[in-house]
Amino acid sequence: MRALVLCCLVFIIQGCKSLPEEQAVQVGARPYYLIDNMPDGPLKQQLAACGNGPFYKTDFVIGHRGAPMQFPEHSKESYLAAARMGAGVLECDVAFTKDKQLVCRHSQCDLHTTTNILSIPELAAKCSQPFTPAKDGQPAQAKCCTSDITQAEFLTLKAKMDGANPNAKTVAEYLQGTPNWRTDLYANSGTVMTHQQSITLFKELGVKMTPELKSPAVSMPFDGFSQQDYAQKLLDEYQALGVNSQDVYPQSFNLNDVKYWLNNHPEFANNSIYLDGRDEQAHFNAMDETSWQPSMQALYDDGVRIIAPPMWMLLSLDQSGKIVPSLYATKAKQAGLNIITWSLERSGPLNNGGGYYYQSIAPVIKQDGQMMTVIDVLAKQVGVMAIFSDWPATLTYYASCMQYPASEN
């Protein structure tokens, strides 16, 4: 309470911007809930002892689409929330519009589930697939892409929580599909953003930036706009706005995009991230390194320095059921690759194995508090350089308490 009063007095006299940036970080109630929910033991005791902070902004924490556990993803409001929670890096997933302008959207064709486009007749009419109500056992459907509309039209949209009701008979029903462990409380007027707008905002917030070049959902080249044009335009917008290349971590699941940046923009080379989605390939086996093509060493030899797999690929269980680094994690480190992973706080309650992101350790995942144990293994044993999170405060609490990475605090 004393600190809050002091902040208010300082705000009246000088404005809160004069406070040290680390004291402005707010973690809220969730980290405390998770710690209370942890199994008893030394880690729980150590984390509980940090309850009074201080908490610091850290590059260990990446705001995955902002803070979409409660705010519409890629909205200005989501980004502001993530920054307040201590995220030192914020993500804009990059897609392009009909007039080949870059905007923040997780998928080129998700406007029907992440915005109000279907409720605007003149824009809904431009969607690749108009809304079709559920009928005769067939789910309700729609498909609206950024490439269906211009950037100016995109900016008239409002962001909403990602979700759709497959049983909907009307557009209004279709738009009400938010998972029950998220909330629509802050989802009435989310502000969508262009890529350039996100850069300007992130500069104002004093955070680093990690744009992801999303896979096009249309044939390329698109009206003369090639994949290389797309990859180049992403970097051009940082350079045009005077952002230091060391503050930008461009990422892509497409290895050819990463190689394009490595070969044509050496100033971004050490920060370019290869998002590893090879688990979607039929032959992939996380426990068989011969199925990882290209190999870890081949990636390093091609110039890749950061690899980013989903969390489950970095974790395994030993014979006693203890969570330990996986073979994948060990081999990536041996090859000299730095590791970033995704995505914490995206699974909902961890009371039945945790779903996709915890699949390699599902037998021991029984309660939400074990999220802190997973973070601890990823940080101290795997040695990840950063973690994407849908609710950055959880990671901020951990990193501030453990002073991880040590060089930041």
Side-chain angles (χ1 to χ4, degrees):
M1 178 62 72
R2 186 185 307 169
L4 178 60
V5 172
L6 177 60
C7 177
C8 292
L9 288 173
V10 172
F11 179 82
I12 293 170
I13 298 169
Q14 298 177 321
C16 268
K17 287 186 178 180
S18 64
L19 285 173
E21 108 183 332
E22 65 268 16
Q23 292 189 26
V25 170
Q26 305 167 21
V27 296
R30 182 161 176 80
Y32 300 92
Y33 158 76
L34 293 174
I35 293 166
D36 288 344
N37 188 251
M38 290 178 67
D40 290 334
L43 179 60
K44 180 175 182 176
Q45 294 172 5
Q46 186 176 5
L47 290 170
C50 295
N52 292 327
F55 302 109
Y56 305 94
K57 182 179 77 173
T58 169
D59 294 351
F60 178 66
V61 182
I62 302 175
H64 180 237
R65 316 183 202 179
M69 177 181 278
Q70 292 196 21
F71 295 86
E73 63 185 47
H74 295 306
S75 67
K76 181 178 181 179
E77 294 77 10
S78 188
Y79 290 138
L80 290 173
R84 290 190 182 107
M85 285 187 258
V89 186
L90 294 179
E91 178 191 43
C92 167
D93 290 325
V94 178
F96 58 84
T97 59
K98 185 175 182 179
D99 49 349
K100 294 170 281 189
Q101 300 302 306
L102 305 184
V103 296
C104 297
R105 198 67 7 216
H106 179 250
S107 168
Q108 188 171 16
C109 294
D110 70 4
L111 296 182
H112 51 290
T113 65
T114 65
T115 75
N116 65 336
I117 189 171
L118 290 175
S119 66
I120 306 173
E122 61 270 26
L123 296 184
K126 298 183 179 184
C127 290
S128 295
Q129 180 180 346
F131 170 73
T132 304
K135 185 178 181 181
D136 299 330
Q138 295 299 313
Q141 296 182 2
K143 182 180 179 182
C144 303
C145 306
T146 57
S147 50
D148 292 334
I149 58 176
T150 66
Q151 184 183 87
E153 291 170 328
F154 173 83
L155 287 172
T156 68
L157 302 176
K158 294 296 183 182
K160 76 175 193 68
M161 297 298 283
D162 187 14
N165 176 7
N167 299 314
K169 303 296 185 181
T170 67
V171 166
E173 290 176 352
Y174 184 77
L175 295 177
Q176 299 299 316
T178 303
N180 60 14
W181 48 272
R182 293 182 179 151
T183 179
D184 286 319
L185 187 61
Y186 309 110
N188 292 327
S189 58
T191 307
V192 299
M193 304 197 77
T194 69
H195 182 229
Q196 289 186 338
Q197 287 174 336
S198 77
I199 296 171
T200 299
L201 177 63
F202 297 168
K203 288 176 67 177
E204 292 173 354
L205 294 172
V207 298
K208 295 180 181 178
M209 315 169 195
T210 182
E212 180 188 337
L213 195 73
K214 301 306 297 187
S215 298
V218 294
S219 298
M220 299 293 278
F222 175 77
D223 190 24
F225 189 56
S226 71
Q227 185 68 28
Q228 289 191 348
D229 292 335
Y230 184 27
Q232 180 62 48
K233 188 176 180 67
L234 182 146
L235 296 188
D236 285 345
E237 295 197 348
Y238 289 94
Q239 293 173 327
L241 291 172
V243 179
N244 188 317
S245 61
Q246 295 307 303
D247 292 337
V248 183
Y249 293 83
Q251 37 166 337
S252 179
F253 281 99
N254 184 343
L255 186 55
N256 287 331
D257 293 336
V258 179
K259 289 182 176 180
Y260 175 82
W261 295 325
L262 296 177
N263 295 330
N264 294 278
H265 291 278
E267 68 274 25
F268 290 94
N270 287 335
N271 283 8
S272 295
I273 302 170
Y274 172 46
L275 294 164
D276 193 349
R278 290 178 292 177
D279 60 313
E280 295 185 356
Q281 298 175 0
H283 68 273
F284 181 87
N285 182 339
M287 298 303 295
D288 178 9
E289 62 180 301
T290 64
S291 72
W292 313 338
Q293 300 300 325
S295 68
M296 299 295 187
Q297 191 60 53
L299 289 171
Y300 186 89
D301 291 344
D302 280 341
V304 174
R305 292 296 177 265
I306 305 175
I307 193 169
M311 294 191 306
W312 72 266
M313 286 168 59
L314 298 173
L315 303 171
S316 186
L317 298 175
D318 66 13
Q319 292 183 344
S320 67
K322 183 179 179 181
I323 302 173
V324 296
S326 67
L327 176 67
Y328 178 105
T330 301
K331 292 298 182 180
K333 282 292 187 179
Q334 287 178 353
L337 295 169
N338 293 311
I339 303 173
I340 292 174
T341 192
W342 43 276
S343 295
L344 197 73
E345 300 276 30
R346 193 155 186 83
S347 301
L350 304 187
N351 54 10
N352 60 355
Y356 171 81
Y357 293 99
Y358 297 85
Q359 60 185 277
S360 60
I361 55 173
V364 302
I365 297 298
K366 307 294 183 183
Q367 60 197 77
D368 288 348
Q370 289 176 285
M371 200 179 303
M372 288 296 190
T373 304
V374 168
I375 296 169
D376 195 58
V377 173
L378 290 170
K380 294 180 179 176
Q381 297 184 48
V382 175
V384 297
M385 63 183 289
I387 300 175
F388 285 89
S389 177
D390 280 24
W391 198 246
T394 299
L395 284 174
T396 296
Y397 187 108
Y398 175 89
S400 298
C401 182
M402 298 297 182
Q403 297 188 12
Y404 183 89
S407 60
E408 288 199 19
N409 297 323

